[in-house]
Structure formats: structure tokens, C-alpha cells
Amino acid sequence: MCLGLPLWRPGNVPSAGVMKKCTLCVDRIYNENIPEEDRVPACVRSCPTNARFFGDLADPDSEVSRLVSDRDGVDLMPEQRTRPANKYLQPGRQSSCGDPEAFNLAELADPTPTGILGWIDRNLSRV
Amino acid sequence: MHPALSIIVFTSLSGTGLGLGFWTALTAHAAPPLLIAIAGLLAAMLTSIGLVSSLLHLRHPSRAWRAFSQWRSSWLSREGILAPLCVISMVLLGPGAFTTAPLGSIPVVLVLLLAPAVILTTAMIYAQLRAVPAWRTWLTPVMFLLFGASSGLHVLMTATVWYHGDLHPIPLILGAGTDTAANREGPLLTAIIINTMAWGTMAAWWLRRDRIGTGQSTLATATRLASGHRITQLDPPHTEKNYLQTEMGYHIARKHALSLRWIALVLGFLVPTLAAGSLLILPTTMAPPVLTVLSVVHGTGIMVSRWLFFAEATHVQSLYYHSG
């Protein structure tokens, strides 16, 4: 699993008197009765900004392994040497967005009209 | 860490019991059999009370047996296996003392090996935790061993003077002679030296703890953000207290840490040293009450220091909860 938000945190369930931690929705990821795109942890499936990814980090060819190598995925507190199964992708280096020059926000705010509106715009600009 | 009373009582009492067993075995060649039997039973009892109280902080004591299978990776499991073996050996010290040599010395050898080993396994539960830098030092097992040794010796001296009126049934290194006065000096000076070493280790542990904080882990390694820039946390991760904050970030306990350290030093070091020193000159009849008070005050001092040992330990995860 690689993600943009902290996930691992043991939780005490006072009523049961036991420690529990995230199972990565084991009941979903192997469930063949639900559509394949839903076979991921609920937090990954429902994340509104798609900040979380789920996959097999042990497989170097998996999509999450590729994301980790492309976007410099790191461990938190590496000095603790816990070899966590969660990787955190570095912000602001999103290769999937491609060339930043190709996407200009200023142009969106001031669009170039085409067609009849474009013809009117061009002629009025000359006046 | 949250200083659970059951764990403080457990580590202090079982440490005393194991130390008592160790010194009883060490002096078993000279002490009268009945004294060995009484001291052995007392050691087994103190250790067992500690073990039972450690079960009390489990929410499901019925599941405790599962820990025994994990001895290959867990110090707690190793402790759980060795401690009952040591308790049985300590109980057998008495019957061993009434038996003739080769057979009778088996429990003595077992206790001499197992008692320090059990204290070591207890200490290693804390000393191996990389996530609590204050605990992760060789000072932790040394401190546990020395405190067990000093409190155990105090209890053995107390038992001896109540039983015999003087200390010469338990000759120790410094007082191997036959002279009664010299024999009293032996155990008393040994006790003073070991207790001084114990509190010296504790003081070194406290100074290291104040210096080390969360060790190599910082807010930068915890978030892996902006190397070379200052990171400031504006808000806590959530508004409600969670398990980690109540269990691992025990701020109230640290509020009075400094005054508690002085209380521990006075109770555990100053009073016992003065009391043991005064017995070198006081008449023998004073020994039983003085040594009884010494043992109780010393034990209280150890419990205060043990409370701080837990309360002052900072888990690295608390880095995520230091807003501002």
C-alpha cells in the first residue's frame, strides 16, 4: 500500500479489551462477489482525492512499486528500521501530470473563442 | 508511557524476590538450613506476587499462556518461561539445604543462574525497544540487575537478623573472617556498595534520558517533509484523545519528575546508606528494627524510580502529537 495519509495506528478497543489494527479490508480485497474495482481497501476506494493506492509492494512490477520508484516513495521514521509496508509518495513531483508547461491555468481563465464567437472576437480586437 | 501500577509492583517485587533468591543461594554454603528455607520461600513468594500482579493488567488473563510459545522473538515470553522455573528452584533451596552435597546443590546452582537471567529478560523487554530511546540502553538491564541485587540483599539481611540476631550466617566477600564484627561489616558494606552502584546507574540513566529525547527520530523523519527546513505542526492529527496518547504520551506523570527523582534518591539511597552505615557502630540489638525500616524505605524508593522509568519514557510516535 502506498498513500498520502497516515494509516497504520494500533487502536485499543476498550469494550473488547484487545488491540486491533487495520486489516486493509481483508473482507473486500479477496471478495469475488463484488466488482473488481471495488476489491481494494475502503479508504482507497472512497478517497475523494485519490491519494491512496493499494497493491503488492513485494512485486517489483506492480503498479504501486512503479509509483514508489517513479515518485520517490519513502518510509516514515526509517531510522526505526521497522520495514513498514506503507510507502509515502513525495508531494509536488507528480510525473503522471506530465509536462507542467502543457497545462496553463491562466489560459483556462481567459479562453480563446473559436467559430463564430472567435471571428467576432478577432474582428472586435482589431477595432 | 502510562505507569501501570501492576507493572511497577511486578518489576519491583519480583526484582526483590529474585535478588533475595540469588543472595540466599550465594550464601547457602554457610547459612543455617532453616534460614535458607525461609529466605527461599520468601523469595519465591515475592516473585510470585509480582508475576500474578503482572497478569492483572491484562484484559484477558486467560490468554496469557499464548505468550509462552513466542520465546524465539520475545523477551516477555522468555521471562514467562524462566520465571516459574526460577520460583520452583527457589522453593527447592530449603529442601536442598537439608540434603547432602551433590543433590542439595542443584537448586543453588539453578537459582544462581536463573535469578539474574529472569531480571535480565524483564529489563530486555524495555531495553530492546527502539521506539523508546530512553529505554534502549545497556544502562536499563544493569539498573534492573543492581536494584534487584540491592533490595534482595536488604531483605536477606533483615531475615537473617530477625532469625539469628546478627549477620554472620551470611558471610559475604568483605567479611569472610570468623570475627563477628567483621562478618557484620561484610554484608553491610556489600549492600552499601551495590546500592550506591544501583543509584549511580539510575542517575546516569536519568541524565541520558534528559539528553536523548526521541533520539534519532525527529518531526522531519516522522513526516519526511522538507529536509533542511523547519517543520511546524499547526494542528494535532485529530481532536479526540486516542489510545496512543493516553498510553504512550503521559504528560501528567512527567510534571513532577524532578521532585520525584529527589524523593527516590532520598528514600532509596540516602536513608538506606545512613541506616546501613549506622549499623556498623550501633549495638546488635538495634539491627532487626533498623534493617526492617531500611528494606521498606529502600523498596519504596525503588518503586518511585520505577514509576518514573515508565512515566518519563517517550515513545517516538508522540512526535506526531506535538502540535506547536
Side-chain angles (χ1 to χ4, degrees):
Chain A
M1 179 135 179
C2 62
L3 31 77
L5 292 164
L7 167 94
W8 186 90
R9 195 186 70 199
N12 189 15
V13 184
S15 56
V18 290
M19 294 293 293
K20 288 184 175 178
K21 71 176 194 179
C22 176
T23 65
L24 297 175
C25 292
V26 68
D27 55 324
R28 291 173 63 91
I29 58 183
Y30 298 121
N31 190 344
E32 288 175 8
N33 297 318
I34 59 175
E36 197 165 351
E37 63 268 29
D38 285 338
R39 291 178 207 162
V40 289
C43 62
V44 174
R45 189 75 181 98
S46 61
C47 180
T49 55
N50 287 330
R52 296 176 167 209
F53 306 91
F54 176 74
D56 186 5
L57 282 173
D59 172 9
D61 297 323
S62 69
E63 199 194 341
V64 284
S65 295
R66 197 180 48 75
L67 272 167
V68 166
S69 62
D70 286 355
R71 289 176 54 187
D72 298 333
V74 291
D75 294 340
L76 297 188
M77 292 194 192
E79 71 284 355
Q80 293 290 328
R81 284 181 269 161
T82 54
R83 291 187 296 161
N86 299 333
K87 299 276 182 189
Y88 288 76
L89 304 177
Q90 295 286 1
R93 258 179 262 164
Q94 303 195 359
S95 57
S96 55
C97 284
D99 182 10
E101 298 296 321
F103 189 74
N104 193 336
L105 264 182
E107 281 176 11
L108 275 181
D110 188 18
T112 312
T114 51
I116 296 170
L117 277 176
W119 180 80
I120 295 168
D121 180 54
R122 278 195 299 278
N123 285 293
L124 283 174
S125 300
R126 278 187 212 132
V127 178
Chain B
M1 294 287 172
H2 172 65
L5 196 62
S6 58
I7 286 296
I8 293 161
V9 170
F10 157 62
T11 59
S12 312
L13 277 191
S14 67
T16 306
L18 293 161
L20 173 59
F22 178 82
W23 291 110
T24 308
L26 199 66
T27 54
H29 61 281
L34 193 61
L35 176 65
I36 298 173
I38 294 167
L41 281 178
L42 189 62
M45 209 173 68
L46 286 171
T47 312
S48 305
I49 292 171
L51 286 172
V52 170
S53 87
S54 79
L55 287 176
L56 292 178
H57 83 293
L58 301 177
R59 278 293 299 275
H60 295 283
S62 58
R63 294 179 188 170
W65 63 271
R66 293 184 194 185
F68 286 93
S69 63
Q70 304 304 310
W71 56 271
R72 272 167 302 190
S73 59
S74 157
W75 284 104
L76 184 115
S77 179
R78 289 166 203 166
E79 177 195 46
I81 292 165
L82 291 181
L85 292 176
C86 189
V87 168
I88 294 166
S89 307
M90 292 194 293
V91 171
L92 290 177
L93 277 177
F98 288 104
T99 319
T100 43
L103 194 66
S105 53
I106 293 173
V108 172
V109 174
L110 281 176
V111 171
L112 285 178
L113 293 173
L114 283 172
V118 175
I119 298 182
L120 190 71
T121 54
T122 306
M124 285 310 291
I125 295 172
Y126 310 106
Q128 50 99 21
L129 275 177
R130 202 178 275 120
V132 184
W135 286 349
R136 196 180 161 80
T137 161
W138 60 269
L139 289 169
T140 302
V142 170
M143 182 259 284
F144 271 66
L145 283 166
L146 286 172
F147 273 145
S150 66
S151 57
L153 182 54
H154 288 153
V155 175
L156 179 60
M157 290 197 299
T158 311
T160 307
V161 290
W162 278 109
Y163 172 84
H164 198 271
D166 208 338
L167 287 169
H168 59 80
I170 48 164
L172 286 164
I173 321 136
L174 297 164
T178 47
D179 179 42
T180 311
N183 273 325
R184 196 202 301 178
E185 277 167 23
L188 284 172
L189 288 177
T190 309
I192 291 174
I193 291 169
I194 289 177
N195 195 37
T196 308
M197 282 160 65
W199 286 100
T201 314
M202 187 78 249
W205 191 94
W206 281 332
L207 294 177
R208 180 184 173 276
R209 185 255 162 215
D210 292 343
R211 184 168 42 79
I212 199 152
T214 51
Q216 289 174 295
S217 297
T218 60
L219 202 51
T221 71
T223 59
R224 298 301 298 274
L225 292 170
S227 57
H229 297 277
R230 203 170 67 88
I231 302 165
T232 310
Q233 193 175 1
L234 299 175
D235 286 307
H238 36 76
T239 50
E240 189 67 28
K241 281 250 174 208
N242 73 0
Y243 172 75
L244 290 177
Q245 281 159 294
T246 52
E247 187 68 14
M248 316 286 191
Y250 203 70
H251 293 290
I252 303 156
R254 294 173 202 154
K255 221 165 83 180
H256 306 291
L258 193 65
S259 51
L260 281 169
R261 284 181 187 181
W262 284 110
I263 290 169
L265 272 174
V266 168
L267 294 178
F269 175 67
L270 194 66
V271 173
T273 307
L274 291 176
S278 71
L279 277 183
L280 292 170
I281 35 176
L282 282 177
T284 318
T285 46
M286 291 297 289
V290 170
L291 278 172
T292 308
V293 172
L294 186 159
S295 294
V296 172
V297 171
H298 180 256
T300 314
I302 289 185
M303 286 204 198
V304 173
S305 81
R306 204 49 58 85
W307 193 80
L308 283 172
F309 176 79
F310 291 98
E312 290 196 287
T314 312
H315 195 290
V316 290
Q317 64 80 41
S318 60
L319 284 166
Y320 292 109
Y321 299 95
H322 285 169
S323 115

